[in-house]
Amino acid sequence: MANKKYKLLFGILILLSAGAFAQPGVKGGVNDSSVIPAKRMPQQNEFWNGSYNFPAKPRNMWEVGVSTGLFTISGDVSSTVLTYPNFAVHVRKAFGYIFSARLQYVDGIAKGMNWVEAENFNNNPAWNTNLPVGKRYFSPERLNSGQLVYSDHAGNFSAEQNVVYYNYKTHMQDLSLQGIVTLNNIRFHKQKTGIVLYGGGGIGATIYKSMVNALDAQGNNYTTLFKTVFAKYGPGEYKDRKDILKDLKAGMDKTYETDAESQSTRRPKLLGGTLKPSGTVLAGVALKLGRRINLAIEDRWTFVKDDLLDGQRWQEHTPGGPVLTRDFDSYNYGSIGLNFNLGAKSVEPLWWLNPLDYAYDELMNHRHVKIPKNDCPDADGDGVCDHLDREPNTPAGCPVDTHGVTRDTDGDGVPDCLDKQLITPTECQPVNADGVGKCPDPECCSKIPLNNNNNNNTTKACPSDYPSLTVKGLALSDDNKVMLSTIAAKMKENPTCTITLTGYPETSKASQAVCQKRLEAVKDYLIKKEGISSDRITTNCEVGKGTSQNVVDVKSN
């Protein structure tokens, strides 16, 4: 009979999975308008038109899932691992590629039994006042007088105390809303993944009802059984735990007929159980079986601010002295389940998609980037493609800059390729059609003065009309270099003449140092660039005599 039930369950799962695969779907993608909701189409149109960088978020499927697994309580009583039936159902929706929300209902059965005996249970009603008189267990109670007696917590006494082995069966129901974060769907070197890791947490409400197996099927308590087991094993050791539990289970039924200790009227009730708020944390891995189905393995831990999920909250303290245990109970649901993606004209749930698909697709296919033809036409032959050329009709042979514009070094409006005076001083501009400025040539000695001496030799006087330079800083300007070329030409025409470069610093040492460096820069230029011998040039800084610190006078010696 059980085998037929399993076959039926397996058949239902096959039908569900087949239906999930058979549902109509679409390929989806950044250029598939069928998966874009109407309210987000304006953004998608802007993206297609190239006026907005981001595509609209596509419509994605809902996920519904069912699972089963292990349900255990972490409390004061040792938990039994294998219990049934335990199941959960959920519905989940993505709000982005990372974050999604899930509403989940869990229904589980938890059981447990201690292999260590308990004696100080006087305040636990499951073993005394919740049982009929005559069926109760007796434990130490300290009277107001200080006397220690064995009672059922209701005024009935016994000459000897009993021991019990705590046990429970709890039916737990939980409804919670969870936020889930996907950890690995953003991938840089692979389009998609078949495995998704996720984690999250949420809040909800838990309903629980705990029962204790304190009587057998005939309504008798287990005092004889508990006494026999205790006599055989004593307080019990870890190595004997399996044998102790085996002996207890052999003498007990599975009725769980007695109400465990509960919050009673101190907490609200729902569906016959105690209602408490709860918090949940979870982690899991989903394995993709198809576009519309995946297998999930998950562990979920739920915390309830209550110490009675297992029906026990009293320590084994000083006999007759009730002391509560330290920690609240919590429960764990480790599960395996199937999830199905539902929805037409939708992409898969976004936690299965890689948002970098959009970026990589554009990099590979260039749907929105305007790229010129590979042949790069250059009509004027200046080496700059026409679509980048700011001067499409450059004269042949003229050098151009990176934008295809003819070079004009001195900015006089005449291209370098046509300029007969490549560097025209600013004060000599405007220039003529050949790029030559209007500054007059410096006057030259047209007459050779006669100097009658004893030998009646005639000599040519050295020039005295050298121009003054205005040098700002230590670097020579283009105008300075043009003027120095003129000075050098005069000195070459008069190879016996020498000059003195004079600067006019202030009295400070710093100003004098700048003056000397400036004169050395002028001298070096005449020597290295114009070929004038160094012994024909002297320098002199006259402190405080000049009207401007930037002036360099050139005088014949």
Side-chain angles (χ1 to χ4, degrees):
M1 186 64 181
N3 192 26
K4 292 182 178 180
K5 291 181 179 179
Y6 290 130
K7 289 181 179 179
L8 177 61
L9 178 60
F10 180 74
I12 292 173
L13 292 177
I14 292 297
L15 290 174
L16 286 174
S17 61
F21 281 115
Q23 290 191 22
V26 294
K27 183 178 180 180
V30 70
N31 292 300
D32 187 354
S33 61
S34 66
V35 299
I36 306 299
K39 65 180 181 181
R40 291 198 281 267
M41 277 306 299
Q43 176 184 340
Q44 188 70 7
N45 288 328
E46 290 181 4
F47 172 72
W48 284 333
N49 294 332
S51 59
Y52 193 69
N53 294 335
F54 297 89
K57 185 175 71 173
R59 183 188 299 109
N60 67 100
M61 301 178 188
W62 289 76
E63 178 187 271
V64 296
V66 59
S67 64
T68 186
L70 305 177
F71 196 93
T72 57
I73 290 176
S74 176
D76 307 304
V77 181
S78 298
S79 184
T80 300
V81 176
L82 298 176
T83 62
Y84 65 90
N86 305 312
F87 71 92
V89 294
H90 75 261
V91 58
R92 180 180 174 188
K93 180 64 175 177
F95 289 93
Y97 292 87
I98 302 298
F99 181 78
S100 59
R102 184 175 77 175
L103 183 67
Q104 184 181 43
Y105 170 77
V106 179
D107 189 295
I109 298 293
K111 293 181 179 180
M113 175 177 285
N114 276 349
W115 54 271
V116 177
E117 88 292 346
E119 301 176 4
N120 204 32
F121 53 87
N122 194 261
N123 283 71
N124 190 334
W127 301 98
N128 42 55
T129 55
N130 285 358
L131 296 172
V133 177
K135 309 295 183 180
R136 299 174 178 175
Y137 298 80
F138 292 85
S139 59
E141 180 181 7
R142 192 168 298 278
L143 303 178
N144 292 335
S145 63
Q147 181 182 2
L148 188 67
V149 297
Y150 305 119
S151 75
D152 63 357
H153 202 65
N156 300 306
F157 303 99
S158 173
E160 62 179 16
Q161 73 174 51
N162 301 130
V163 297
V164 300
Y165 289 87
Y166 286 135
N167 62 79
Y168 70 91
K169 176 182 178 181
T170 300
H171 180 207
M172 195 86 66
Q173 301 178 75
D174 179 275
L175 181 66
S176 64
L177 180 64
Q178 304 148 3
I180 297 178
V181 176
T182 306
L183 303 179
N184 69 321
N185 65 320
I186 299 179
R187 304 176 73 84
F188 292 91
H189 306 291
K190 187 177 181 181
Q191 183 183 21
K192 294 183 180 180
T193 179
I195 300 176
V196 164
L197 305 176
Y198 61 90
I203 57 174
T206 296
I207 303 171
Y208 73 93
K209 183 174 179 59
S210 301
M211 304 294 291
V212 170
N213 186 5
L215 303 175
D216 62 18
Q218 289 73 40
N220 299 316
N221 62 28
Y222 296 112
T223 54
T224 301
L225 173 64
F226 292 164
K227 184 177 180 180
T228 301
V229 173
F230 181 70
K232 181 177 180 180
Y233 297 100
E237 296 181 9
Y238 184 77
K239 63 182 181 63
D240 297 324
R241 68 192 186 286
K242 293 182 179 180
D243 294 331
I244 295 173
L245 292 175
K246 181 179 179 181
D247 289 353
L248 290 172
K249 291 177 181 179
M252 301 173 68
D253 56 25
K254 300 179 181 179
T255 55
Y256 296 96
E257 72 299 317
T258 304
D259 289 334
E261 183 178 3
S262 68
Q263 297 291 351
S264 186
T265 58
R266 294 185 296 274
R267 293 291 183 269
K269 299 285 186 179
L270 184 64
L271 302 178
T274 300
L275 176 65
K276 294 280 290 186
S278 58
T280 295
V281 294
L282 60 95
V285 56
L287 310 176
K288 193 172 186 179
L289 304 180
R291 183 170 180 266
R292 290 182 173 269
I293 186 171
N294 63 85
L295 177 71
I297 301 173
E298 181 181 306
D299 190 63
R300 166 188 157 156
W301 205 286
T302 303
F303 302 91
V304 182
K305 194 175 180 181
D306 198 319
D307 198 18
L308 289 175
L309 301 185
D310 59 2
Q312 159 60 16
R313 61 177 178 178
W314 301 102
Q315 292 188 29
E316 287 299 295
H317 206 264
T318 305
V323 177
L324 294 173
T325 54
R326 182 181 61 184
D327 300 319
F328 292 117
D329 296 340
S330 58
Y331 61 90
N332 180 268
Y333 178 55
S335 63
I336 182 170
L338 287 175
N339 301 324
F340 306 95
N341 303 330
L342 306 179
K345 295 184 178 180
S346 303
V347 299
E348 297 174 63
L350 296 182
W351 59 83
W352 284 107
L353 302 183
N354 184 356
L356 291 180
D357 282 351
Y358 292 161
Y360 284 156
D361 176 79
E362 179 60 30
L363 288 174
M364 292 296 294
N365 297 296
H366 308 297
R367 293 187 174 89
H368 299 286
V369 177
K370 296 180 181 179
I371 298 179
K373 296 179 180 179
N374 292 332
D375 55 2
C376 185
D378 180 13
D380 56 5
D382 61 359
V384 179
C385 298
D386 287 348
H387 70 281
L388 299 175
D389 199 336
R390 296 180 182 176
E391 186 182 75
N393 298 312
T394 303
C398 288
V400 297
D401 60 18
T402 56
H403 300 292
V405 178
T406 307
R407 293 186 180 278
D408 180 10
T409 303
D410 55 6
D412 60 1
V414 179
D416 288 355
C417 58
L418 304 176
D419 200 335
K420 294 183 179 180
Q421 187 179 39
L422 188 62
I423 301 176
T424 302
T426 303
E427 60 267 20
C428 296
Q429 298 183 24
V431 298
N432 61 21
D434 294 326
V436 178
K438 296 182 179 180
C439 290
D441 290 335
E443 294 183 3
C444 297
C445 255
S446 57
K447 298 180 180 181
I448 302 175
L450 297 177
N451 183 13
N452 295 323
N453 53 22
N454 295 330
N455 297 323
N456 293 323
N457 293 329
T458 61
T459 60
K460 186 178 180 180
C462 293
S464 60
D465 56 349
Y466 293 112
S468 295
L469 306 177
T470 300
V471 182
K472 297 181 179 180
L474 299 178
L476 299 179
S477 67
D478 291 339
D479 288 348
N480 295 151
K481 294 176 182 178
V482 171
M483 298 178 74
L484 288 174
S485 296
T486 301
I487 294 171
K490 291 179 179 295
M491 296 185 71
K492 290 176 182 178
E493 292 176 358
N494 301 274
T496 61
C497 296
T498 61
I499 62 172
T500 298
L501 305 176
T502 305
Y504 305 97
E506 293 180 347
T507 57
S508 67
K509 291 184 178 180
S511 180
Q512 294 178 49
V514 171
C515 173
Q516 190 61 44
K517 290 181 179 178
R518 184 181 290 127
L519 296 180
E520 291 297 329
V522 174
K523 181 177 179 180
D524 286 347
Y525 185 85
L526 289 172
I527 295 171
K528 296 178 180 178
K529 298 295 184 181
E530 299 295 342
I532 304 301
S533 176
S534 62
D535 59 2
R536 299 179 63 192
I537 305 170
T538 58
T539 60
N540 179 39
C541 288
E542 296 186 4
V543 179
K545 293 186 178 182
T547 59
S548 174
Q549 298 181 55
N550 298 325
V551 173
V552 176
D553 284 336
V554 184
K555 299 178 182 179
S556 294
N557 293 329

